[in-house]
């Protein structure tokens, strides 16, 4: 019986280790866990992540990056999502009760869904869009209202700058 317990413990540890190294842990803490394709089972497009002025870019894996601006104590997470679903279906599948408000905008020809979790002094945001036949999500948390325009403008820059042209380093011409 002890051998069975030992085997069970080894299998659990192996399972947790494989999930960790396969990227199956939600590092960004957003509410979108059902929309993310952490196992990369969806067909990923050829999108690339842009550089942002004043932000340090940290690659998480081939389909996710975080941007940090220490001057504003702000981190913006950007990641590719599963392309097996339409972005509108992903948005419809979200738990709407976790958000206090939402809006849909046309960001230079890209339908973009903004979802906010508002607090008394800060808020969090999950932003969903499809560009170049690739689904994406941008998120941020603990954003102060005084820095809201800074956050939103950089998110819009990410959306505008994502390009399928690998030679341009993800930046489009303005």
């Amino acid at each position: 019986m002890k051998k069975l317990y030992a085997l069970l413990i080894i299998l659990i540890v192996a399972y947790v280790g494989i999930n960790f190294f396969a990227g199956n842990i939600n590092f960004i803490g957003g509410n979108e866990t059902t929309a993310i394709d952490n196992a990369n089972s969806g067909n990923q497009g050829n999108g690339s992540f842009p550089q942002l002025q004043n932000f340090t870019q940290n690659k998480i894996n081939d389909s996710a990056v975080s941007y940090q601006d220490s001057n504003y104590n702000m981190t913006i997470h950007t990641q590719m999502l599963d392309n097996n679903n339409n972005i509108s279906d992903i948005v419809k599948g979200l738990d709407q009760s976790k958000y206090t408000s939402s809006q849909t905008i046309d960001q230079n020809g890209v339908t973009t869904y903004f979802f906010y979790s508002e607090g008394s002094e800060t808020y969090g945001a999950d932003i969903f869009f499809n560009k170049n036949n690739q689904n994406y999500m941008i998120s941020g948390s603990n954003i102060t209202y005084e820095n809201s325009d800074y956050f939103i403008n950089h998110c819009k820059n990410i959306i505008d700058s994502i390009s399928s042209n690998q030679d341009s380093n993800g930046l489009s011409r303005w």
Side-chain angles (χ1 to χ4, degrees), residues 46-48 132 162-171:
N46 293 324
S48 60
N132 301 323
I162 286 179
S163 171
S164 62
N165 182 355
Q166 298 295 325
D167 295 332
S168 70
N169 197 20
L171 294 174

Side-chain angles (χ1 to χ4, degrees), residues 81 85-92 113 128-130 135-136:
L81 301 178
N85 296 311
N86 291 328
I87 197 71
S88 60
D89 292 335
I90 291 172
V91 167
K92 287 177 188 172
Y113 304 91
F128 298 87
F129 64 98
N130 181 294
N135 293 329
Y136 291 93

Side-chain angles (χ1 to χ4, degrees), residues 18-122:
I18 289 170
N19 268 341
F20 178 76
F21 289 109
N24 200 20
I25 294 178
N26 184 3
F27 289 106
I28 60 175
N31 299 321
E32 71 297 326
T33 54
T34 58
I36 300 172
D37 179 26
N38 286 326
N40 293 323
S41 62
N43 54 348
Q44 299 291 333
N46 293 324
S48 60
F49 297 106
Q51 298 288 328
L52 293 180
Q53 186 175 5
N54 301 326
F55 282 82
T56 303
Q57 181 177 349
N58 299 309
K59 180 179 177 181
I60 296 171
N61 57 39
D62 289 339
S63 62
V65 66
S66 69
Y67 300 96
Q68 291 185 300
D69 184 336
S70 58
N71 293 330
Y72 285 87
N73 194 25
M74 184 179 297
T75 302
I76 301 172
H77 301 280
T78 305
Q79 64 185 23
M80 295 178 186
L81 301 178
D82 184 356
N83 277 336
N84 290 329
N85 296 311
N86 291 328
I87 197 71
S88 60
D89 292 335
I90 291 172
V91 167
K92 287 177 188 172
L94 295 174
D95 181 0
Q96 301 292 327
S97 68
K98 295 184 179 181
Y99 301 103
T100 55
S101 64
S102 65
Q103 65 181 19
T104 303
I105 67 165
D106 181 312
Q107 177 61 30
N108 293 324
V110 176
T111 302
T112 306
Y113 304 91
F114 288 79
F115 292 89
Y116 302 100
S117 300
E118 298 166 300
S120 60
E121 296 187 23
T122 63

